Amino acid sequence: MEYSPDDLDRKLATAFDGKVVRKDLLHRIKKGTNVPTFVLEFLLARYCASDDPAEIQAGMEAVLDTLNENYVRPNDANAAQSRVATKGKHRFIDKVHVNYVEKDRRHWAALENFDSRRVAIGEKYYRDNDRLLQGGLWAEVTVAFNEVEDDKYTFYVEDLRPIQLSRFDFDRYCEGRAGFTRDEWMDVILRSVGLEPSKLSARVKFHYIARLAPLIEANYNFIELGPRGTGKSYFFSEFSPYSTLISGGQATKAVLFYNSQRHKIGLVGFWDTVAFDEVGGLKVKDPDTIQIMKDFMANGRFSRGVEVIADASMAFVGNLDLSVDQIVHSEVYDLFQPLPKEFDLAVQDRFACYLPGWEMPKNSSEFLTSRYGFITDYLAEAFHHQLKQTNRYEEVSKRIKLGREVEGRDEKGVKKTVCAFLKILHPNGSPTDAEFEEYVAYAVEGRRRVKEQMNKRKTDDEYARINLSYISATGQEVVVFCPESRNATATLEPSRRSIHGGAPVPSLVPAEPTAPAPSPAAPPAVATVVEPESTLLASATPQEIAMPAEPELTEQHFTIHYGDTGHSYESIVLPYLRGARSVTIEDPYIRATHQVQNFVRFCEAVIKAPSVRNIMLITSYDDTTNLQDLTSRLDELKQSLLELDVALDVKVNENLHDREIRIDNGWTIKIGRGLDFFQKPDSWFGVGANDISLRRCLETKVDIFKAPAA
């Protein structure tokens, strides 16, 4: 269907000329490439700044040509380096980091996909672009070959032009906002993150705005738990270059907060938002980490020998394995059920807002917009500016009136949520009384959801004041309820027995998770009945108590970020080998010595599943491949596997480009970079040289899904 601009498109394009892009073009090109959203939008804004279909088509072809010529794809590093050595220089689109290396007493640039960490770079580039030193910067970078043999580097940066905005005019942003109503501006924000607001209810729109709160309000603590496939982690992985997403693994105080050995601040000092994906799988081995987290979540500061103050917000997203109806009508379970056991009541009390993820629609193309929205990086800059430079707390405090049951942390959480809504929807002014009341009601509900769960967990009345309220403009006290628990006695008036201590309650109640969830439109036909613990334990066999069922395997979609640790072939693949006998891996880049070594490590991980009896490798080679060495190495591996009763078959497909792992139990695992997603160690005698779970990673996406039945 041919695109036709609507009134909001025309209004936005006029007010923010050069700062907007058609999101349907992004969706079309995004499906065929693994390039970050803001890089694609940068190119689309350059080549597709038109509504003429012929010009749009020519622009799309120019974008694709630019990507083919200049974007370094994973596993193309060797070819890219060869091109520079042959031509003398070449321009690339890549993410550039600059690190000061103490032993060399100089700065070196590291290009992620070009796969070189020792590229010479002039001072002017990192002096003018601070973000090169703080997490990296996507840029068009011209890399040149160094002909001087005596120099200790092969490549140097000849030119660098940031793709991400280097300057942002907040006054101009506010001036443009003044021409829109509140509802129009909300639709602009939603279209900017790729959603079509006409497909969403007013309540769901507010949910999506709330997801953005940690990106714009400093020291804001946010949690969203709900079903899989609702895009919980997208806002923190792709929307803003100022946000980092930690995908499972181990959280340490050195990585998150402060490294005492190196005297360097952790992630909270470099990012606006530190988000934890799949929070239920987060491992916290050091109790000190949780204590520092509590201090930081409370007031944005902590002490580790030195006093550290930072603005980073913390967001926690994860999945609920039981239906919400089961949970709210149960005396045993609560909506914090997926959190790690280390996240005690003190951590939970610091959450300002619990977004009900079960109300969010599943990811679907029907919710994607085909209209204009802000270039992602431009809106991200607007949010970053407000997080760092604006404070609406005093304004909200003067205007808001809260009820008697609102206590200290309740008040702070509610106010910070309202501040976030004001920054997002009213960066240049104040809302009407009706609009302000909407934000307050939503903020109170988000905080009440937190307090209800704490009250359910606590064995006394410390958190019993759950009827949070606000005073309306007419002077009336309005008590706010959470829709899911309004009629749930088990949540509103929980019993005061110890439900989290003593013998564990087997997962036999409430209803079995395999039973279909009741329709949200109607209450369940039969209320959940919770038997006393003694009855449950008496009726369960010893095997049922001692041998809990294996956790259900679920689809996963996450990003491993540059510099992450804690990932290995075993951690990614092994859980999905349950009952598998055959594993097929397609990877065209099993050629160089380190790539074959990676494949050996992969085989070592796979054979830890006792049922596996066959591994099939489908790969390819090029003119530079030493076939004799490659064949010899794979034959050695084949022989060693045979001794363990595992057969290795190797096939060559010269047209192979994709990378995926197929398991005969139906699961497919796609890793964007294939097996080659680890950085080369700084030293082969340092930590991470042998245990790859301790080795830093390159950035890649991981998709794990069940193949549809034939």
Side-chain angles (χ1 to χ4, degrees):
M1 187 172 66
E2 187 173 327
Y3 166 77
S4 177
D6 64 7
D7 291 341
L8 190 57
D9 279 341
R10 287 187 284 267
K11 194 171 182 179
L12 184 63
T14 300
F16 293 94
D17 184 33
K19 303 294 191 300
V20 296
V21 68
R22 266 178 51 189
K23 296 294 176 171
D24 60 326
L25 304 180
L26 174 67
H27 302 323
R28 280 165 54 186
I29 204 167
K30 181 73 172 172
K31 292 178 181 178
T33 183
N34 193 25
V35 183
T37 298
F38 47 82
V39 174
L40 293 177
E41 291 185 339
F42 167 79
L43 295 174
L44 289 170
R46 173 186 289 178
Y47 294 112
C48 300
S50 170
D51 290 330
D52 181 79
E55 291 183 14
I56 288 288
Q57 185 58 39
M60 293 286 281
E61 292 174 3
V63 171
L64 292 173
D65 288 343
T66 300
L67 291 174
N68 287 332
E69 181 68 16
N70 302 119
Y71 180 71
V72 187
R73 285 172 174 76
N75 293 312
D76 284 348
N78 188 55
Q81 293 179 8
S82 176
R83 178 180 296 183
V84 174
T86 303
K87 293 175 55 179
K89 63 181 177 182
H90 190 76
R91 185 173 65 189
F92 298 103
I93 295 174
D94 204 347
K95 190 170 186 179
V96 185
H97 305 255
V98 174
N99 302 296
Y100 179 74
V101 179
E102 189 174 359
K103 67 179 180 180
D104 295 341
R105 295 190 177 185
R106 66 172 296 172
H107 291 79
W108 293 106
L111 277 66
E112 279 196 16
N113 292 347
F114 188 74
D115 198 20
S116 179
R117 302 180 64 193
R118 199 177 176 86
V119 180
I121 186 169
E123 180 184 353
K124 66 175 182 177
Y125 296 116
Y126 54 82
R127 185 185 62 228
D128 295 341
N129 300 281
D130 289 342
R131 282 166 61 183
L132 288 170
L133 296 162
Q134 301 173 1
L137 180 73
W138 279 92
E140 288 183 305
V141 55
T142 301
V143 180
F145 184 72
N146 181 25
E147 302 280 359
V148 181
E149 294 184 4
D150 292 340
D151 287 343
K152 295 181 179 179
Y153 59 90
T154 306
F155 305 107
Y156 65 93
V157 173
E158 183 178 272
D159 189 34
L160 184 145
R161 292 194 300 164
I163 284 176
Q164 296 165 245
L165 293 178
S166 57
R167 289 180 177 81
F168 174 75
D169 187 344
F170 182 63
D171 291 336
R172 173 70 188 85
Y173 175 76
C174 291
E175 180 184 329
R177 162 63 182 93
F180 296 79
T181 66
R182 191 285 302 268
D183 290 344
E184 287 177 335
W185 191 252
M186 186 184 295
D187 288 353
V188 166
I189 299 295
L190 293 172
R191 286 182 176 179
S192 297
V193 297
L195 298 164
E196 179 47 51
S198 63
K199 303 286 187 180
L200 306 174
S201 68
R203 180 169 171 82
V204 171
K205 286 183 182 181
F206 265 53
H207 291 337
Y208 278 114
I209 296 298
R211 273 187 178 174
L212 295 169
L215 300 170
I216 202 168
E217 178 66 17
N219 302 131
Y220 184 80
N221 305 312
F222 169 90
I223 184 168
E224 178 183 354
L225 302 175
R228 294 160 180 82
T230 58
K232 293 186 290 293
S233 59
Y234 167 81
F235 282 44
F236 308 112
S237 63
E238 292 236 4
F239 175 74
S240 173
Y242 293 102
S243 172
T244 186
L245 182 70
I246 300 174
S247 301
Q250 185 177 344
T252 67
K253 58 191 175 188
V255 171
L256 290 176
F257 301 109
Y258 193 78
N259 189 318
S260 299
Q261 301 299 319
R262 298 185 178 182
H263 305 290
K264 288 185 178 180
I265 194 170
L267 296 176
V268 297
F270 292 104
W271 300 95
D272 289 357
T273 309
V274 177
F276 299 83
D277 194 13
E278 304 292 351
V279 65
L282 192 66
K283 297 178 178 63
V284 185
K285 294 186 177 179
D286 184 356
D288 197 26
T289 302
I290 289 293
Q291 187 54 53
I292 297 173
M293 182 181 287
K294 293 174 186 176
D295 293 342
F296 183 76
M297 291 173 71
N299 51 33
R301 66 179 64 199
F302 60 90
S303 177
R304 290 285 294 157
V306 294
E307 184 80 6
V308 177
I309 301 174
D311 294 324
S313 293
M314 286 195 161
F316 302 85
V317 296
N319 303 317
L320 286 174
D321 293 322
L322 297 176
S323 77
V324 173
D325 282 301
Q326 286 177 314
I327 294 172
V328 299
H329 289 96
S330 166
E331 292 282 357
V332 176
Y333 297 107
D334 57 67
L335 292 172
F336 282 144
Q337 169 254 333
L339 294 182
K341 65 180 185 303
E342 293 85 0
F343 280 39
D344 58 16
L345 289 166
V347 174
Q348 296 159 19
D349 198 16
R350 286 157 168 78
F351 293 137
C353 178
Y354 186 143
L355 191 149
W358 51 89
E359 295 185 18
M360 304 299 278
K362 291 275 190 177
N363 292 336
S364 169
S365 58
E366 70 174 296
F367 296 108
L368 300 179
T369 188
S370 60
R371 302 198 171 277
Y372 275 106
F374 283 121
I375 294 173
T376 299
D377 199 41
Y378 180 73
L379 191 58
E381 289 293 336
F383 283 17
H384 172 69
H385 175 92
Q386 292 183 85
L387 183 140
K388 293 292 186 181
Q389 306 294 335
T390 65
N391 189 332
R392 308 290 289 271
Y393 198 84
E394 188 65 26
E395 173 187 345
V396 169
S397 296
K398 290 180 179 178
R399 191 168 177 180
I400 197 170
K401 294 180 181 178
L402 298 172
R404 292 183 298 273
E405 296 208 359
V406 175
E407 299 172 304
R409 286 214 169 104
D410 304 329
E411 180 179 356
K412 181 179 180 181
V414 168
K415 288 181 177 180
K416 288 183 76 67
T417 301
V418 176
C419 287
F421 271 79
L422 294 191
K423 289 180 178 181
I424 296 168
L425 299 175
H426 305 273
N428 62 320
S430 299
T432 64
D433 286 343
E435 291 168 346
F436 187 79
E437 210 164 295
E438 285 182 303
Y439 308 149
V440 173
Y442 187 91
V444 171
E445 178 195 320
R447 176 59 190 178
R448 173 173 180 145
R449 189 169 289 109
V450 173
K451 204 165 186 185
E452 282 185 353
Q453 309 320 305
M454 293 192 300
N455 183 46
K456 201 171 183 181
R457 288 191 166 204
K458 197 73 163 67
T459 56
D460 58 28
D461 293 334
E462 181 178 354
Y463 300 111
R465 295 163 67 92
I466 61 174
N467 286 322
L468 308 188
S469 61
Y470 67 93
I471 311 301
S472 70
T474 60
Q476 180 182 4
E477 183 175 2
V478 180
V479 177
V480 180
F481 291 86
C482 300
E484 72 278 357
S485 61
R486 183 170 191 134
N487 298 312
T489 304
T491 295
L492 299 181
E493 300 175 10
S495 62
R496 290 304 177 193
R497 62 190 178 86
S498 178
I499 62 176
H500 295 284
V505 178
S507 55
L508 306 177
V509 292
E512 289 79 7
T514 54
S519 167
V526 181
T528 300
V529 178
V530 181
E531 299 177 42
E533 290 184 24
S534 57
T535 306
L536 286 169
L537 294 176
S539 62
T541 67
Q543 289 81 5
E544 287 175 318
I545 297 172
M547 299 177 62
E550 291 182 313
E552 181 185 358
L553 296 175
T554 59
E555 293 191 358
Q556 294 193 60
H557 307 274
F558 59 90
T559 299
I560 297 174
H561 290 278
Y562 186 87
D564 279 0
T565 59
H567 300 282
S568 66
Y569 307 129
E570 189 172 324
S571 68
I572 295 173
V573 178
L574 191 56
Y576 293 86
L577 293 176
R578 192 182 300 168
R581 294 190 61 82
S582 177
V583 178
T584 299
I585 174 170
E586 292 187 355
D587 192 326
Y589 299 100
I590 307 295
R591 305 169 183 172
T593 300
H594 77 280
Q595 292 169 341
V596 178
Q597 289 171 338
N598 284 338
F599 181 60
V600 173
R601 293 187 181 100
F602 173 79
C603 292
E604 290 173 341
V606 167
I607 63 176
K608 290 182 180 178
S611 59
V612 172
R613 288 291 172 264
N614 182 267
I615 300 173
M616 168 74 76
L617 169 65
I618 303 175
T619 188
S620 65
Y621 57 85
D622 57 20
D623 295 340
T624 65
T625 306
N626 187 325
L627 288 178
Q628 184 175 354
D629 284 353
L630 177 60
T631 302
S632 174
R633 290 163 177 170
L634 291 177
D635 283 345
E636 286 183 35
L637 175 60
K638 185 180 298 186
Q639 186 60 41
S640 68
L641 286 170
L642 279 175
E643 295 173 3
L644 298 171
D645 198 23
V646 177
L648 170 64
D649 298 316
V650 180
K651 292 186 178 181
V652 174
N653 181 348
E654 295 182 1
N655 297 317
L656 185 65
H657 298 288
D658 292 338
R659 290 164 285 273
E660 69 178 25
I661 300 162
R662 296 191 299 275
I663 308 171
D664 66 350
N665 60 12
W667 287 99
T668 297
I669 300 173
K670 284 180 175 279
I671 306 175
R673 290 180 179 268
L675 300 183
D676 199 5
F677 63 87
F678 294 100
Q679 297 182 26
K680 182 180 179 181
D682 293 331
S683 167
W684 289 106
F685 298 95
V687 172
N690 295 305
D691 185 345
I692 57 174
S693 68
L694 299 174
R695 190 180 298 182
R696 289 192 294 269
C697 297
L698 298 166
E699 184 162 319
T700 190
K701 290 186 181 297
V702 179
D703 295 290
I704 305 175
F705 55 90
K706 193 88 174 210

